[in-house]
Amino acid sequence: MNRVDNQSLDMQLFRFLFPTFAALLLSTLSGQARAEVVATFYSHDFGDHFPHAFITLKGKVDGTGEAVDTNFGFTAVSVSPAILMGSVKGMIETKDAKYVSKSNPHFSLRLSDAEYRKLLDHVERWRNMPGKSYSLNKRNCVHFVMEAAALLGLSVNRKSKFFKKPKSFVLEMMKINPTLRL
């Protein structure tokens, strides 16, 4: 081949490879810079500490760069025999790192900024429920987690037999949604 043919071949190769290389480089850089919040669904074995089902949120909000490291569960304000008799005052509770570390993480979801905001709205709705908002049979920590999962597009069993068994309920959700994992 002569010199002109080599230059032509080099130019064709460059035109072919450059866009591919540029796209690969941009996707790699954008993947590293992408912020995200991850929601992890937990259960805590029964005991005298509540809630037994809760969600952690960790990461960064893509749109604002806000760092997120918190958790939310729903429980009775005062745990007493009264919860066995009917509804009592409820509250959203955030637990310390020790409690979270002694709990069972089951699956995680990467949230868009819109999903993150929807989840925070869910937390605020439950936080601001008036009156006796906690009911062992109708509105407990498992119900809170179930509604959060449904809000994020997961299938849930609203007729589950596990509303008083947080770990079993979360495992049931994983069966219904087989792509879930940590």
Side-chain angles (χ1 to χ4, degrees), residues 155-179:
S155 296
V156 297
N157 179 4
R158 295 186 182 281
K159 296 184 181 199
S160 177
K161 62 182 178 183
F162 299 121
F163 284 116
K164 293 181 186 172
K165 297 181 178 183
K167 184 175 185 175
S168 296
F169 183 85
V170 177
L171 292 173
E172 178 184 56
M173 271 200 309
M174 293 178 76
K175 273 186 169 178
I176 296 169
N177 300 277
T179 60

Side-chain angles (χ1 to χ4, degrees), residues 5-160:
D5 289 335
N6 280 341
Q7 285 178 335
S8 177
L9 185 60
D10 288 345
M11 187 55 82
Q12 288 175 354
L13 190 58
F14 176 79
R15 284 185 188 141
F16 173 75
L17 290 177
F18 180 75
T20 304
F21 176 76
L24 181 62
L25 180 63
L26 285 175
S27 70
T28 302
L29 291 176
S30 66
Q32 290 174 346
R34 181 167 170 74
E36 62 187 16
V37 175
V38 175
T40 302
F41 287 67
Y42 279 79
S43 69
H44 187 84
D45 292 334
F46 284 106
D48 59 350
H49 299 289
F50 299 85
H52 291 121
F54 61 96
I55 304 164
T56 63
L57 298 169
K58 291 186 180 191
K60 285 192 179 183
V61 178
D62 197 27
T64 65
E66 170 195 0
V68 175
D69 187 2
T70 191
N71 61 78
F72 301 106
F74 185 72
T75 190
V77 169
S78 177
V79 178
S80 71
I83 65 172
L84 300 173
M85 307 301 176
S87 296
V88 297
K89 189 162 176 56
M91 69 177 184
I92 290 291
E93 187 167 33
T94 299
K95 300 304 281 187
D96 62 21
K98 183 177 177 184
Y99 185 85
V100 174
S101 72
K102 293 184 180 225
S103 300
N104 303 303
H106 294 284
F107 65 88
S108 296
L109 300 171
R110 296 185 189 288
L111 306 180
S112 67
D113 284 5
E115 290 169 325
Y116 171 68
R117 284 189 298 278
K118 280 183 5 182
L119 192 53
L120 290 184
D121 288 345
H122 168 70
V123 169
E124 288 309 306
R125 274 191 305 280
W126 282 64
R127 184 187 315 274
N128 295 316
M129 282 185 191
K132 296 179 177 182
S133 57
Y134 182 91
S135 168
L136 186 59
N137 296 316
K138 297 178 185 170
R139 195 179 303 116
N140 65 27
C141 60
V142 174
H143 293 91
F144 170 78
V145 165
M146 176 187 70
E147 294 301 333
L151 184 76
L152 296 173
L154 297 179
S155 296
V156 297
N157 179 4
R158 295 186 182 281
K159 296 184 181 199
S160 177

